[in-house]
Amino acid sequence: METSRYRGAGKASADPSLNGALPADRLGRHLHDLRISVTDRCNFRCVYCMPKEVFGPGFRFLPKEEILTFEEILRLTRVFVCLGVEKARITGGEPLLRRNLETLVRMLSGIPGIGDLTMTTNASLLPGRAHALRDAGLRRITVSLDALDDDVFRAMSSVEVPVRRVLDGIRDAEAAGLVPVKVNMVVKRGVNEDQILKMAEYFRGTGHILRFIEFMDVGNSNGWRMDEVVSAREIRDHVAARWPLEPVEANYRGEVADRYRYADGGGEIGIIGSVTLPFCGDCNRARLTADGEFFTCLFAGKGHSLRSLLRDNRSDDEIAEHVRGIWAGRRDRYSELRSEATVALPRVEMSRIGG
Ligand code: SAM
Ligand code: SF4
Ligand code: SF4
């Protein structure tokens, strides 16, 4: 049985024995958020993430034995919490495809020191499950939705799921108290920019927070081109021309969305300018793939296997030391350095790393 000081020790900052354990990376950034991908599979084939031409019937997804068990995810998350993580987000692929996800949510929400536990989902499998997720300890939810018109939604997601189903998921999340719901809309020029105002209008006054996201060059599959990015400024100006906007202060350091409120009291929106307004200087996120690879940047070419340490019977202390060393050496700032040359580099796919 583990007797490690990392096991169940609670938030690192609250544990004097761990003082000095919090790693700052080479650019002075502290670890705060953990994204946990629970599967690399998805029931959608969004053009900007898992284009069906690449993620077709012959695509090799992770076999079951390579995927972390719930116990392994719990153990790693505890280690990360002891190293300073206060916020965890469950993601994928599509996290709701992972069987018994509520059980994992319950396990993670019981970790002392987890201040916030959230999930990002396409919501197609959410109707009927939101209450159970909330009961298990999920605090909030982010739903991805790129269009209100079914034909545009189909052009983005490449599936026959009606928009209504996603909206039902949002409604259930609201009824379960997973509020405010954040709604992520990736904007791709030539495909869905005509949905910007429709989406803004639909979510105005609902209390939900619509967040527009610039189309990013994650992975090497989505055929990314700069001229298909609708910039944060363009999005803001477009919305503001219809409903005047006022900037809102960030909630906390490291918040990726620039926040705005409608001047007429219609609520709040966010704009994530990952490409044109990089925020690497405040990047405090660690990412764990479903097969236990630890990534320090969304655009990294390779990760660091923590599963091999787990399955090699290493102690929590040893795993923590390993993570600390990786974080201490971290100097990622891909978005600040983005160029034609970086775009050609190999990068992990979004469906593996989870956004
Ligand atoms: N399947 C879930 C979903 O779509 O919400 C969770 C995983 S998905 C990879 C996480 C987020 O990444 C989604 O909000 C999605 O829109 C976003 N995303 C994926 N590829 C992207 C890209 N190329 N540019 C910007 N955002 C992207
Ligand atoms: Fe699936 Fe989410 Fe990627 Fe769309 S963005 S293909 S829903 S993982
Ligand atoms: Fe963080 Fe990498 Fe994104 Fe910069 S490019 S904000 S370092 S994930």
Side-chain angles (χ1 to χ4, degrees), residues 41-50 92-94 121-122 144 157 350-351:
R41 291 164 196 259
C42 188
N43 55 339
F44 282 24
R45 287 292 178 271
C46 301
V47 288
Y48 50 78
C49 177
M50 298 180 78
E94 175 44 47
T121 172
N122 65 33
S144 304
S157 64
M350 187 66 128
S351 52

Side-chain angles (χ1 to χ4, degrees), residues 214 229-237 258 271-273 276-277:
E214 287 180 353
V229 177
V230 181
S231 73
R233 171 188 281 254
E234 216 178 320
I235 295 170
R236 183 200 63 196
D237 291 351
D258 285 336
I271 306 182
I272 303 178
T276 65
L277 302 169

Side-chain angles (χ1 to χ4, degrees), residues 119-161:
M119 179 170 72
T120 305
T121 172
N122 65 33
S124 60
L125 303 168
L126 189 58
R129 286 180 75 179
H131 275 93
L133 288 161
R134 169 78 195 189
D135 289 348
L138 195 72
R139 298 273 187 91
R140 288 177 301 106
I141 203 159
T142 298
V143 170
S144 304
L145 175 65
D146 301 323
L148 279 179
D149 292 344
D150 276 316
D151 52 344
V152 183
F153 183 66
R154 195 180 310 114
M156 287 296 266
S157 64
S158 314
V159 289
E160 291 301 324
V161 174

Side-chain angles (χ1 to χ4, degrees), residues 35 37 39 41-44 46-50 89-96 119-123 142-146 183-187 211 213-219 222 224 274-275 298 349-355:
R35 302 211 150 191
S37 174
T39 178
R41 291 164 196 259
C42 188
N43 55 339
F44 282 24
C46 301
V47 288
Y48 50 78
C49 177
M50 298 180 78
R89 176 175 296 276
I90 298 170
T91 178
E94 175 44 47
L96 291 173
M119 179 170 72
T120 305
T121 172
N122 65 33
T142 298
V143 170
S144 304
L145 175 65
D146 301 323
V183 179
N184 278 358
M185 170 180 178
V186 176
V187 185
R211 303 180 334 152
I213 305 180
E214 287 180 353
F215 171 38
M216 291 187 279
D217 50 333
V218 196
N222 64 11
W224 184 86
S274 337
V275 177
L298 191 53
E349 290 297 327
M350 187 66 128
S351 52
R352 270 201 77 207
I353 198 170

Side-chain angles (χ1 to χ4, degrees), residues 19-327:
N19 273 348
L22 293 176
D25 71 8
R26 300 290 278 268
L27 302 178
R29 300 165 298 188
H30 284 275
L31 179 58
H32 184 268
D33 286 16
L34 177 65
R35 302 211 150 191
I36 305 165
S37 174
V38 294
T39 178
D40 60 334
R41 291 164 196 259
C42 188
N43 55 339
F44 282 24
R45 287 292 178 271
C46 301
V47 288
Y48 50 78
C49 177
M50 298 180 78
K52 60 180 187 304
E53 300 73 19
V54 177
F55 295 85
F59 187 82
R60 184 186 175 273
F61 290 100
L62 291 169
K64 189 161 183 275
E65 63 277 11
E66 288 183 21
I67 291 180
L68 296 185
T69 64
F70 286 174
E71 287 70 25
E72 288 173 327
I73 294 174
L74 176 68
R75 206 177 140 199
L76 289 181
T77 307
R78 279 180 165 151
V79 169
F80 274 101
V81 167
C82 286
L83 289 171
V85 162
E86 295 183 12
K87 185 173 164 191
R89 176 175 296 276
I90 298 170
T91 178
E94 175 44 47
L96 291 173
L97 286 180
R98 180 83 187 243
R99 232 180 300 152
N100 302 323
L101 190 72
E102 291 77 358
T103 304
L104 178 68
V105 169
R106 191 170 296 285
M107 290 162 78
L108 296 181
S109 68
I111 299 176
I114 284 260
D116 201 8
L117 182 61
T118 64
M119 179 170 72
T120 305
T121 172
N122 65 33
S124 60
L125 303 168
L126 189 58
R129 286 180 75 179
H131 275 93
L133 288 161
R134 169 78 195 189
D135 289 348
L138 195 72
R139 298 273 187 91
R140 288 177 301 106
I141 203 159
T142 298
V143 170
S144 304
L145 175 65
D146 301 323
L148 279 179
D149 292 344
D150 276 316
D151 52 344
V152 183
F153 183 66
R154 195 180 310 114
M156 287 296 266
S157 64
S158 314
V159 289
E160 291 301 324
V161 174
V163 171
R164 185 72 257 161
R165 185 142 182 94
V166 179
L167 297 177
D168 285 349
I170 293 174
R171 194 201 52 210
D172 280 17
E174 183 180 359
L178 294 166
V179 288
V181 177
K182 287 186 181 159
V183 179
N184 278 358
M185 170 180 178
V186 176
V187 185
K188 187 173 176 197
R189 194 181 303 284
V191 188
N192 70 335
E193 76 257 58
D194 68 319
Q195 301 290 303
I196 293 173
L197 292 185
K198 290 185 185 189
M199 289 279 285
E201 179 156 40
Y202 184 86
F203 288 105
R204 269 167 52 82
T206 61
H208 305 321
I209 301 172
L210 176 61
R211 303 180 334 152
F212 301 98
I213 305 180
E214 287 180 353
F215 171 38
M216 291 187 279
D217 50 333
V218 196
N220 300 100
S221 300
N222 64 11
W224 184 86
R225 292 198 338 230
M226 187 65 209
D227 61 5
E228 291 176 334
V229 177
V230 181
S231 73
R233 171 188 281 254
E234 216 178 320
I235 295 170
R236 183 200 63 196
D237 291 351
H238 191 43
V239 177
R242 174 75 179 80
W243 298 284
L245 294 172
E246 298 163 351
V248 181
E249 282 292 304
N251 277 317
Y252 51 88
R253 188 155 184 222
E255 187 169 38
V256 297
D258 285 336
R259 300 170 62 205
Y260 297 91
R261 73 167 78 84
Y262 293 110
D264 66 1
E268 186 180 318
I269 62 166
I271 306 182
I272 303 178
S274 337
V275 177
T276 65
L277 302 169
F279 33 79
C280 301
D282 283 335
C283 182
N284 54 18
R285 293 180 176 173
R287 296 175 160 93
L288 189 62
T289 62
D291 57 343
E293 296 248 316
F294 165 39
F295 280 83
T296 57
C297 179
L298 191 53
F299 299 91
K302 79 179 204 29
H304 309 266
S305 177
L306 301 184
R307 187 191 64 197
S308 58
L309 302 184
L310 285 171
R311 297 190 181 173
D312 217 15
N313 290 323
R314 303 293 191 87
S315 69
D316 289 1
D317 287 336
E318 287 175 296
I319 296 172
E321 276 312 309
H322 189 66
V323 169
R324 189 180 306 114
I326 294 166
W327 191 267

